[in-house]
Amino acid sequence: MANKLFIPGPVEVAPEILAEMGRPMIGHRSEEFRALYRDVIAGLRALLRTRAHVFTATSSATGIWEAAARNCVRRGCLHLVNGAFSERWEEVTRRNGKPTGVYAVDWGKAHRPDAVARELETGKYDAIAIVHSETSTGVLNPLAEICAAARRFDDVLVLVDAVSSLTTVPIDIDGLGIDVLLAGVQKGFALPPGLAVFTVSERALERARAIPDRGYYFDFEEIARFAARDETPATPAISLLFALRRQLERIGAEGLEARFTRHLEMARRCRAWAKAHGFDLFPEPGREAVGLTCVANTRGIDVPALARFCAARGFTIDAGYGKIKGKTFRIAHMGDTTPADLEALLAVAAEFLAGAGAGAEAGAGPR
Ligand code: PLP
């Protein structure tokens, strides 16, 4: 049997959802497809509670980073950087030929709204890019405060990467004035990867129309034009849309508030477990993500050995990302993961720690 995934994406997918992907194929210009598309968009709109345009794209989240750059940035985009993904988003915008600026704080720290306002006052930018939950460091940036600071600048579009926060914490897209919000489905939605979900405000769509060279595949106007007749410009990942429709029903049955509560309870449990075992958390206090926990390896354990020990017992965890690999490890608790699943993993990790690191690893082996 495959290992249970506790990495921050892709996450564990329910067998029922995998089965949904095995449905017979349908044509993407058929009435059956249009009904599927309508159900998916209506389900997403209810979940996201927004009046903005809601779209899906056949790509991972990175595609919508490109889309945001091509459709929304003219003068320049200010990127708030505090980890590997926010760093990469800036690179993507720059490589799409758009002027960028970086405001960076140390990995593990969260961004502050006053600094954002100072940067935007330079007048160099007409867009700001914020990664809500920096998956590499487990930091949850204060989105409401940052959006409020940005919204003081009339022509600045607010672009939000909610890849590892969407469906784990509430996000008031319209209330915060978010112009583009994007996520992939292999995290909070607990689907196999390959589909992105995103929202586009009316003013972002207007901005797009005024930008001539915005490409084709991710052209917001083209996507909106096809969406108006419940279709997509190119052939979509139909199997994933079947899966998303089913998953939206499952999320609806659990209830979004109940889902947030489950995620928060698991996050609290995981943080408490880490502290009880002599670790610190990598994010600054009070800024911890809810969909995952990034543990600081303050005990100096052999993190790859911990990951191997867990893997040999059926659990996959992450041994840290990029420059903090080994100095941290990450445990995801998003999507459909239950408190009981998390307890099973934490028990195994505790077993490794009780065996005092390297010594414990010698005892590892498939069971
Ligand atoms: N943004 C964040 C915060 C992420 O965690 C990730 C991937 O883990 C991405 C963007 C990129 O997503 P994808 O690999 O699905 O394109």
Side-chain angles (χ1 to χ4, degrees), residues 282-349:
F282 189 72
E284 65 175 293
R287 296 296 181 207
E288 301 88 357
V290 172
L292 72 145
T293 296
C294 186
V295 181
N297 183 15
T298 35
R299 274 178 63 170
I301 64 159
D302 182 346
V303 169
L306 167 67
R308 283 194 299 274
F309 185 88
C310 293
R313 286 155 178 78
F315 302 92
T316 303
I317 65 162
D318 174 86
Y321 194 97
K323 69 181 186 189
I324 53 172
K325 202 175 186 63
K327 296 189 182 113
T328 55
F329 58 93
R330 298 178 303 166
I331 297 172
H333 28 72
M334 57 177 104
D336 294 339
T337 301
T338 65
D341 296 331
L342 180 65
E343 286 309 326
L345 165 70
L346 295 180
V348 166

Side-chain angles (χ1 to χ4, degrees), residues 203-215:
R203 68 180 200 138
L205 198 56
E206 268 165 38
R207 168 82 56 93
R209 288 188 186 116
I211 296 179
D213 55 349
R214 46 185 198 274

Side-chain angles (χ1 to χ4, degrees), residues 8-10 59-65 85-86 88-89 131-136 161-165 182-187 193-195 321 330:
S59 83
S60 72
T62 303
I64 315 304
W65 279 352
F85 292 103
S86 41
R88 198 188 299 161
W89 193 1
V131 173
H132 186 200
S133 166
E134 204 359 300
T135 321
S136 60
D161 171 322
V163 168
S164 61
S165 61
L182 65 101
V185 294
Q186 75 275 24
K187 294 193 169 42
L195 203 63
Y321 194 97
R330 298 178 303 166

Side-chain angles (χ1 to χ4, degrees), residues 194-223:
L195 203 63
V197 166
F198 62 109
T199 69
V200 176
S201 70
E202 203 49 53
R203 68 180 200 138
L205 198 56
E206 268 165 38
R207 168 82 56 93
R209 288 188 186 116
I211 296 179
D213 55 349
R214 46 185 198 274
Y216 180 85
Y217 196 67
F218 292 116
D219 174 4
F220 286 170
E221 203 194 6
E222 197 68 24
I223 293 170

Side-chain angles (χ1 to χ4, degrees), residues 244-283:
L244 179 53
R245 176 172 64 183
R246 182 74 196 101
Q247 185 65 342
L248 287 166
E249 286 167 8
R250 294 173 86 235
I251 294 173
E254 179 181 17
L256 193 55
E257 311 307 329
R259 201 168 175 88
F260 293 148
T261 304
R262 173 167 56 80
H263 286 127
L264 189 59
E265 275 169 9
M266 289 191 293
R268 286 185 175 141
R269 168 66 184 129
C270 199
R271 293 171 200 160
W273 175 91
K275 288 180 184 166
H277 287 82
F279 297 106
D280 284 341
L281 301 177
F282 189 72

